[in-house]
Structures are given as structure tokens and as C-alpha cells.
Amino acid sequence: MQWEIVIGLETHAQLSTESKIFSGSSTRFGAAPNTQASPVDLALPGVLPVMNKGAVEKAIQFGLAIGATVAPKSIFARKNYFYPDLPKGYQISQYEIPVVQGGRVSFILEQNGKAEVRSVQLTRAHLEEDAGKSLHEDYHGMTGIDLNRAGTPLLEIVTEPDMRSAAEAVAYAKALHSLVVWLGICDGNMQEGSFRCDANVSVRPLGQKEFGTRCEIKNLNSFRFLEEAINYEVRRQIELIEDGGTVVQETRLYDPDRKETRSMRSKEDAQDYRYFPDPDLPPLVIAPEWVERVKAAMPELPGAMRERFVGDYGLPEYDAAVLTQSKAMAGYFEAVVAKAGREQAKPAANWLMGDVSSTLNREGVDIAEAPVKAEQLALLLQRIADGTISNKIAKEVFGAMWEAKSDSPALADEIIESKGLKQISDSGALEKIVDEVLAANAKSVEEYRAGKEKAFNAIIGQAMKATRGKANPAQLTELLKKKLAG
Ligand code: ADP
Ligand code: MG
């Protein structure tokens, strides 16, 4: 039996406002327990929530960025449940009428050596408050409650069940992460819980129309856990069904140490929460002028930038999509081109997607902290373009530039000079080397002349070695052919 995987994601992005969504207390992470919890967060009797305008503006920005409808009027609702870290006995959220409706997020999916642009349809994004945290103490076997997080503004972003593999879910989640960071509405810090995903996973026989029963895996706070949890859950469900069992709709937790998901509780239905409009909060009214003001103050978005990279710099779609995956990468690219010239756009893209990215990945460094600055890379590209060094030598120079950690704008030149890496294009010098190589490789020369084309590669390899890679490859090939023919 062939199975199809169906995934929908619910992501909680913590909005980076100074104060909480309904109170004036600080949202700063890491303070001593309960030092940032006001009477509103503690749910003392008689307090009233007051909407944080900044949180609404961030939701509007998100809606605009994904081409969604920003609801002119949305409603806050009470989601009732008991939990020790939820002192009110309900969470203020949005239910029937959320602030952001629809929209799409597109991303690049690389699979089986192919890269394609995909997009996922969003159902909605709504504003809500976070709960506090239970802290379990091993020593006394007691649990304490820290309400610093209670009332932190969240945007919950819900997709349609559009994704068909763990890899696709991860690609979507990464694109969403870079979008909210790009917009500056979320700091994206996954370790601190600023961006966490719930994955809804089901399987169905390939070709079947109806969805299978889903399980929801809660609170995945790394892309690796997201991928591992989905893959485990898919295997679990398929094995269960193939053994004659049925999947029960439930909420599960991922245990990264054992790399498995475990049942947490049976899934509540919406009716269990007894949602109703919060009488303490009036409807959230967003006038068109407000949306316009927010729009005018927004940064250029990845989609628009991608189109501009194709139009202005003549980059292929794929390159433009890769470079605009993060604002820092896009900015770096534009800084290189501004310095090196527009005709260096494609080489700059190649370098950023190639050596620069692989070095960043290997060293675990973000492009914003790369020791080689954009102007420094620009000079390196210019030195390839003007024939001072070959592409191959440039890789060596780049490595040395990375190690040098220098701010000098002329770093590439300094390294080429001090390491003697200038390309040999003086034909007299090259001819001398070629003659020596031919003399020392009489056997290969003989074979080549006898018709063995392959022997040429051996000869050119020796010549390159003799020049320590510094010969101009085109010039060297031409010279060798001429000499061998003569
Ligand atoms: P709830 O509010 O109870 O969590 P929703 O219907 O709003 O339920 O769906 C939550 C998420 O689950 C959405 O992202 C949706 O796309 C996804 N989803 C719904 N049905 C399925 C299914 N059968 N398989 C996988 N994901 C699903
Ligand atoms: Mg849910």
C-alpha cells in the first residue's frame, strides 16, 4: 500500500512588543520569576485588559506580507480551560473572526536534487495571549508557577493541510520564520520559545479523497525536532493502520531524547473550550487608513525583492529566491553588487550560494557576522573578472580572507600579493614552464601525439601543478595545443 502524508502547521510567533498584549508589564525574556507579572497578568479581580496597539500593527504587517485579508473588525474570544499556569481560567484568543484571514507563504523545496518553488495556503492568523510556565523543582518535588510569560502577545498562524512531507513542512516553517524576522515582528529565537510549531499529521492511502485521522504534536521548537517528530509520527500511524489498528485523534508530545512521540491527552474539540466573545474587550476595528499607514512604513518584502533581483540584476528565479530567503543575505548581495558592479551580479550570486554559504554553514555563523565583508568580497570578484586570479585560486584567497578577520577593504589584494597568487599571464614566463613540463613528460607527449586524447589532461594537470594553479587556464591550453601540434 502506498501512503500519502498530510500535514497542517499551527505556529505560535511571539510578537516583539515591549509590553504585553493586554497589560503594561515587560515582555523581556529571562527575568526572575513573577517579576514581570502585573495584576492583569495575575488575573486579580476587577482588572481589565487593554489592547496593545503595537501587537495589532504587527498582525497587520503579517497579513499584508502574505497577501491576506486584514479583517476590518475582528473579535476576541475566551477559550476556557483550567491549567495552573493560566490564572484566569481562560485564554484570550480569537475564534470565529480572526484578524488575518487567508494568504499564502511561498518557499523553495529542495528534494531529490531538484529545487522548486512551492506555496502553502494559510487559513488564518489570530492574536492571543501566552500562558505562564510551570517550573518543576526536582529538589522538593514541587512545582512553581512563573507568570512572566502570561500575557505575552502571540500570533498563531494556521495553514491548510497542504503539506505532503516532513521536508515540505520544514521548508514552509523556515520560510515563515525568515518572513516574521524579516518584518521585525518576531525575534525568531526558537530556544527561548519565540517561534514554535504544532504539527498536525495524518496519512491516507494514495488516491483517497478523505483525510485520515490526525494527531497534533505540540510545541516543536527546532526545525530538526519538527522534521524528526513528523517522520516518527508518520511511521507510527502507518504501522498502526497496517497492523489493523486505527489512529485516535489526540495531542502528542515529542521526546527528542528518545526520538518518539507520546500521547499527552485526547484531543479537545472546540466545543470543550466553550468559546464566547470576551465581554471585557470591544471588537478590534482596523480602519483602511490604519492599514495604509502600516503598509507605507513596511520594509520591502521578500517577494518584491525577488522580482527586483530578476529584473534589475538579470538573476535566474532560483538564485533570486535563495538570496531573498533572509534579509541579511539579500542585503549582503546588494552591497557586493553596489561595489563590484552590476555585471558581477551573477558571479556574486554564485559565490553567496556556493563558498560563502557553505563556509557559513560549516562554521555555524550568520551572514551578518561573516568575517568577510561585502566590500571585501566585491574586490575578490573584481580580481577574478580582471584576470588577476582564476576562480580556483579565488577560493583559496577567500579561505584566507575568512581566516584573516581583517577590516581592510583591500584584503583580497593584500592576500594575493603576500601569497604570490597572481595569475601568470606573461606569455614568456608561461612558455618557459610549458617547455619544462613537456620535456619532463615525454611519455604523455608521445601518447598524445599517437592519438590518445586523454594524455592531454595529464599534461595540463602537470603544467597547472608547476604553476601552482596560477596559470591562466585558457592561455595555458592554447599554448600547449600549439606546442604539441608543432
Ligand atoms: P483545531 O483548531 O482543533 O486545532 P483545525 O481544524 O483548526 O483544528 O486544524 C488545525 C490544523 O490541523 C490546521 O493546520 C489544519 O490544516 C490541520 N489539519 C486538519 N485536518 C487535518 C488532517 N486530517 N491531517 C493533517 N492536518 C490536518
Ligand atoms: Mg490547534
Side-chain angles (χ1 to χ4, degrees):
M1 171 93 76
Q2 278 231 303
W3 296 93
E4 183 174 49
I5 303 162
V6 175
I7 304 160
L9 289 188
E10 296 166 276
T11 305
H12 288 92
Q14 186 180 312
L15 297 174
S16 42
T17 54
E18 293 287 319
S19 59
K20 293 187 180 174
I21 187 167
F22 301 120
S23 83
S25 19
S26 168
T27 53
R28 197 168 53 84
F29 182 84
N34 298 309
T35 54
Q36 290 172 182
S38 75
V40 173
D41 311 317
L42 296 169
L44 296 186
V47 296
L48 284 172
V50 177
M51 184 72 223
N52 180 334
K53 198 170 158 191
V56 178
E57 293 197 340
K58 289 182 166 44
I60 298 174
Q61 284 194 39
F62 180 73
L64 290 171
I66 58 158
T69 302
V70 175
K73 186 173 166 182
S74 62
I75 307 289
F76 284 97
R78 290 187 181 179
K79 181 178 183 179
N80 299 279
Y81 62 95
F82 171 77
Y83 222 70
D85 60 19
L86 186 75
K88 289 200 293 288
Y90 61 86
Q91 177 194 27
I92 304 178
S93 181
Q94 296 192 300
Y95 182 53
E96 278 166 333
I97 311 179
V99 61
V100 171
Q101 303 170 5
R104 297 192 84 82
V105 170
S106 47
F107 53 90
I108 307 166
L109 179 60
E110 304 199 35
Q111 245 177 352
N112 316 321
K114 266 195 326 201
E116 51 180 322
V117 179
R118 291 268 185 107
S119 75
V120 163
Q121 171 77 47
L122 296 197
T123 315
R124 59 190 278 156
H126 62 254
L127 283 163
E128 62 182 27
E129 58 179 344
D130 209 344
K133 249 187 219 165
S134 296
L135 302 173
H136 307 289
E137 273 230 14
D138 289 340
Y139 183 64
H140 294 103
M142 290 200 291
T143 293
I145 309 289
D146 176 9
L147 291 168
N148 282 353
R149 202 180 63 182
T152 298
L154 298 177
L155 190 65
E156 177 173 339
I157 303 156
V158 184
T159 76
E160 290 293 297
D162 276 0
M163 289 153 278
R164 294 292 174 269
S165 67
E168 188 174 6
V170 169
Y172 156 79
K174 284 185 174 170
L176 182 67
H177 181 266
S178 83
L179 177 63
V180 294
V181 172
W182 184 301
L183 291 168
I185 63 175
C186 172
D187 68 18
N189 190 326
M190 296 179 81
Q191 273 104 44
E192 292 178 4
S194 300
F195 186 94
R196 45 194 205 261
C197 296
D198 302 343
N200 292 270
V201 179
S202 68
V203 297
R204 62 180 169 187
L206 192 66
Q208 177 182 301
K209 265 213 146 59
E210 307 81 61
F211 288 134
T213 305
R214 73 185 146 113
C215 288
E216 179 176 18
I217 314 157
K218 281 268 179 216
N219 275 333
L220 298 159
N221 68 346
S222 88
F223 296 123
R224 185 161 62 85
F225 294 168
L226 177 63
E227 180 154 28
E228 287 173 359
I230 293 173
N231 282 330
Y232 174 87
E233 184 58 20
V234 165
R235 272 199 310 279
R236 186 189 72 88
Q237 292 184 13
I238 292 175
E239 277 170 25
L240 186 65
I241 301 170
E242 288 185 342
D243 287 347
T246 45
V247 176
V248 208
Q249 181 167 328
E250 62 184 357
T251 301
R252 299 178 70 85
L253 272 188
Y254 181 62
D255 178 343
D257 295 325
R258 309 175 66 149
K259 294 198 190 313
E260 61 185 32
T261 64
R262 282 203 286 281
S263 179
M264 181 163 96
R265 55 171 191 251
S266 71
K267 169 88 187 157
E268 307 79 359
D269 277 320
Q271 69 215 26
D272 299 331
Y273 290 121
R274 295 179 295 121
Y275 278 102
F276 64 88
D278 193 317
D280 288 343
L281 285 158
L284 174 60
V285 175
I286 300 174
E289 302 78 59
W290 192 9
V291 177
E292 284 312 313
R293 271 205 309 281
V294 171
K295 193 184 216 163
M298 258 165 61
E300 185 182 19
L301 295 174
M305 199 179 264
R306 198 167 66 220
E307 282 169 28
R308 192 162 60 73
F309 280 15
V310 173
D312 288 5
Y313 302 119
L315 289 187
E317 285 280 349
Y318 175 78
D319 296 29
V322 173
L323 294 174
T324 53
Q325 276 178 332
S326 91
K327 201 184 206 169
M329 179 65 87
Y332 191 104
F333 167 76
E334 291 214 279
V336 173
V337 177
K339 184 86 191 182
R342 191 190 164 281
E343 66 288 348
Q344 292 303 314
K346 181 55 182 156
N350 291 346
W351 272 84
L352 284 177
M353 297 188 299
D355 285 65
V356 176
S357 288
S358 58
T359 312
L360 290 170
N361 288 343
R362 194 183 62 230
E363 313 261 314
V365 177
D366 193 80
I367 182 98
E369 270 91 52
V372 176
K373 303 293 171 238
E375 316 76 70
Q376 296 176 319
L377 183 66
L379 183 61
L380 183 67
L381 298 189
Q382 285 170 316
R383 289 300 170 254
I384 304 167
D386 67 17
T388 307
I389 51 172
S390 67
N391 229 319
K392 185 137 172 267
I393 292 289
K395 288 174 184 285
E396 186 183 334
V397 177
F398 176 75
M401 288 168 75
W402 192 280
E403 295 303 321
K405 299 194 172 34
S406 150
D407 285 336
S408 166
L411 184 59
D413 280 347
E414 289 161 17
I415 289 172
I416 294 168
E417 189 60 45
S418 70
K419 294 194 165 221
L421 293 172
K422 253 199 192 114
Q423 192 156 260
I424 306 171
S425 22
D426 165 358
S427 52
L430 206 56
E431 190 161 357
K432 188 162 165 277
I433 295 169
V434 164
D435 286 339
E436 283 166 13
V437 168
L438 291 179
N441 291 276
K443 190 155 167 279
S444 299
V445 172
E446 204 176 299
E447 284 174 0
Y448 177 75
R449 289 197 168 129
K452 201 173 155 202
E453 290 281 329
K454 266 206 201 137
F456 188 75
N457 295 340
I459 301 169
I460 204 161
Q462 288 301 321
M464 265 298 178
K465 204 166 148 198
T467 63
R468 290 193 296 130
K470 291 183 301 187
N472 177 317
Q475 220 178 347
L476 180 64
T477 307
E478 196 187 329
L479 193 58
L480 271 174
K481 288 239 152 121
K482 205 171 87 193
K483 294 246 167 194
L484 285 164

